[in-house]
Amino acid sequence: MIVLVVNAGSSSLKYQLINMEDEGVLARGLVERIGAGGGSSLTSEVTGKGKTVLKAAIPDHRVAMQMVFSALTDKENGALTDLSQISAIGHRVLHGGSVFSDSVVIDKRVTDTIQAVSHLGPLHNPANLMGIEAAMHLMPNAPQVAVFDTAFHQTMPKHVHVYALPYSLYSEYGIRRYGFHGTSHKYVSSRAKKILAAEGLPVEKQRIITCHLGNGVSFTAVKAGKSFDTSMGLTPVEGLVMGTRCGDIDPAIMSYVQSKLGYTAKQADDMINKRSGLLGISGVSNDMRDIEKKTAEGHELSQLALDIFCYRARKYIGAYAAAMEGLDAIVFTAGIGEHSPAVRSKICQGLEFLGIKVDPEKNQNCRGECNISAGTEGIRVLVIPTNEELAIARETAQVVCGETGK
Ligand code: ADP
């Protein structure tokens, strides 16, 4: 079975074509600057055949999708002989509100609901819908599946997902913690779940913290295999320090910058989403590689950004260990979590009292999936690479034919 995974943004569209027999990537690519009125292009890569860049006018997502399909079936450089080889299409959708706790086959009711919860993800949901509509228009007979970033977190109990605001904001307007990166947290926690189960710890007793440290950062407390709490909230800005997002702050700061500094609501929102985090503190970059490099050169504000980033992460680990009444494993994943031994080690420093101890050599030499804990006792510290596209493809195959396709 072959699955096409689509991640449509407002002006971009990323895709991967995956053969579920061996979970190998047949092709991948990116359409950029859709509707920008110039400079649009499709970069596509077919495994074994190399990369091609096609520059063209790409006014909308339908044209973008049509270009992707043409590239996939190109006689010389394509990955397929015919589009009918694609058994299903899996779409990444940011926000499923409180409606979707699982992936679903897309029909009119589903697109209407994604539209209805668009106010919760105003930047992403309309773009995701454009991708869905384009794919449905061009391939009306292939089943299309929506995989939501929020779905995994729908198991959070009420006392965890309701904010301490007037209750009517929750009951009438759906203002609550939703959480994001659900596909990634589900993927790495199910791998960790298997590792712990193989060591004799039954799933019902497992308490895992999954730490997704990428450009966006979120941690999830996974209790008995289910999301129990997560750091992102109504929107992805809550929680940990990120590349450009601030994470937790005193909410009164938002009214302060508006009333005292004259920011508009939009400027205040841009500040917490686009001008804060590693970039805001360091003034240098949102990219952890730059922050580490600058810190090594003695740049004080980069050092401060790194200190705040790791301190906040440590605080969340302590909070989630308490929330779950204990801890069996921490999982590091995504760009920083998978590739920065320095950040992993700095986050875990001082957590020995909880039974968390990192082996410096294992940490330094970790490539791919590793257990970097010192000794065999105590809490497992695992590095598990995430793969959101593969996770979406597996979900899609499962929804369409009730199996992983493997
Ligand atoms: P996204 O959330 O955009 O998918 P990624 O998961 O790719 O992001 O993570 C991007 C982050 O990972 C960036 O901050 C980048 O600097 C960081 N990163 C990638 N490789 C390394 C590395 N070798 N050392 C430190 N940070 C890294």
Side-chain angles (χ1 to χ4, degrees):
M1 161 171 204
I2 293 176
V3 173
L4 178 68
V5 175
V6 175
N7 183 356
S10 54
S11 67
S12 70
L13 190 151
K14 283 188 226 158
Y15 68 92
Q16 265 191 28
L17 189 68
I18 300 178
N19 181 356
M20 298 311 288
E21 304 309 319
D22 59 1
E23 298 192 332
V25 177
L26 301 170
R28 70 179 89 220
L30 167 69
V31 188
E32 286 174 289
R33 296 180 62 83
I34 301 170
S40 322
S41 64
L42 161 68
T43 307
S44 61
E45 190 177 352
V46 174
T47 307
K49 292 188 180 174
K51 228 180 213 180
T52 37
V53 181
L54 191 63
K55 293 196 189 300
I58 310 177
D60 56 34
H61 285 70
R62 266 197 200 180
V63 174
M65 206 71 229
Q66 180 62 63
M67 280 176 72
V68 170
F69 287 144
S70 303
L72 288 174
T73 50
D74 185 81
K75 280 212 166 51
E76 258 175 61
N77 293 313
L80 302 169
T81 45
D82 195 276
L83 278 185
S84 63
Q85 288 172 275
I86 298 175
S87 304
I89 302 179
H91 295 269
R92 180 181 191 172
V93 182
L94 180 83
H95 221 302
S98 298
V99 186
F100 298 107
S101 53
D102 242 319
S103 305
V104 281
V105 173
I106 301 171
D107 56 18
K108 171 85 169 65
R109 186 190 61 86
V110 171
T111 51
D112 285 352
T113 312
I114 295 172
Q115 179 72 50
V117 298
S118 273
H119 62 285
L120 299 169
L123 295 181
H124 294 84
N125 274 33
N128 301 150
L129 271 176
M130 286 194 272
I132 292 170
E133 274 154 12
M136 287 182 97
H137 175 75
L138 296 165
M139 280 194 69
N141 297 322
Q144 319 247 345
V145 174
V147 180
F148 300 92
D149 266 26
T150 48
F152 181 57
H153 302 302
Q154 282 295 303
T155 48
M156 286 187 293
K158 201 162 176 179
H159 71 278
V160 172
H161 74 244
V162 175
Y163 289 119
L165 290 165
Y167 191 74
S168 57
L169 263 70
Y170 172 70
S171 56
E172 287 174 35
Y173 301 102
I175 293 179
R176 48 159 287 187
R177 176 180 309 287
Y178 288 100
F180 299 88
H181 288 147
T183 317
S184 174
H185 288 294
K186 184 176 178 185
Y187 181 85
V188 297
S189 67
S190 53
R191 179 70 197 123
K193 190 163 85 180
K194 285 191 190 126
I195 295 171
L196 295 188
E199 289 178 8
L201 188 65
V203 174
E204 319 82 71
K205 291 197 170 161
Q206 293 178 4
R207 295 149 308 180
I208 301 168
I209 301 174
T210 47
C211 308
H212 181 107
L213 294 144
N215 229 326
V217 177
S218 69
F219 287 10
T220 297
V222 183
K223 196 176 178 188
K226 295 191 176 121
S227 173
F228 177 77
D229 198 351
T230 193
S231 58
M232 286 177 166
L234 174 74
T235 76
V237 78
E238 191 182 346
L240 292 127
V241 178
M242 316 187 199
T244 61
R245 297 190 193 115
C246 59
D248 298 337
I249 55 165
D250 181 342
I253 294 169
M254 291 300 273
S255 53
Y256 184 96
V257 295
Q258 291 178 65
S259 61
K260 297 276 194 299
L261 308 182
Y263 284 31
T264 62
K266 164 97 174 56
Q267 284 170 328
D269 204 60
D270 277 357
M271 174 187 78
I272 58 170
N273 278 291
K274 298 183 182 157
R275 298 195 290 114
S276 296
L278 294 176
L279 174 68
I281 305 162
S282 71
V284 168
S285 173
N286 64 316
D287 192 299
M288 185 55 91
R289 281 166 292 201
D290 298 335
I291 298 295
E292 288 188 0
K293 192 163 157 268
K294 283 282 176 190
T295 300
E297 290 167 10
H299 188 259
E300 277 179 28
L301 289 181
S302 294
Q303 176 74 63
L304 182 64
L306 188 63
D307 290 347
I308 298 173
F309 185 93
C310 295
Y311 169 72
R312 191 87 70 81
R314 196 177 317 133
K315 207 155 95 165
Y316 261 89
I317 290 173
Y320 284 168
M324 293 191 286
E325 300 172 29
L327 184 61
D328 303 298
I330 300 179
V331 180
F332 286 110
T333 195
I336 303 169
E338 291 167 31
H339 302 294
S340 176
V343 170
R344 290 193 297 256
S345 145
K346 196 169 162 68
I347 290 175
C348 293
Q349 250 166 39
L351 290 177
E352 291 81 5
F353 80 98
L354 274 180
I356 296 171
K357 200 154 189 282
V358 171
D359 180 314
E361 216 162 290
K362 287 186 194 163
N363 182 33
Q364 196 59 44
N365 299 326
C366 169
R367 304 279 175 278
E369 186 178 301
C370 316
N371 179 344
I372 58 167
S373 5
T376 50
E377 300 291 308
I379 293 161
R380 286 76 154 181
V381 184
L382 308 171
V383 179
I384 301 179
T386 192
N387 187 336
E388 285 174 284
E389 288 76 17
L390 178 58
I392 293 171
R394 282 186 188 167
E395 291 270 332
T396 303
Q398 201 160 13
V399 169
V400 169
C401 51
E403 35 121 341
T404 60
K406 267 189 100 176

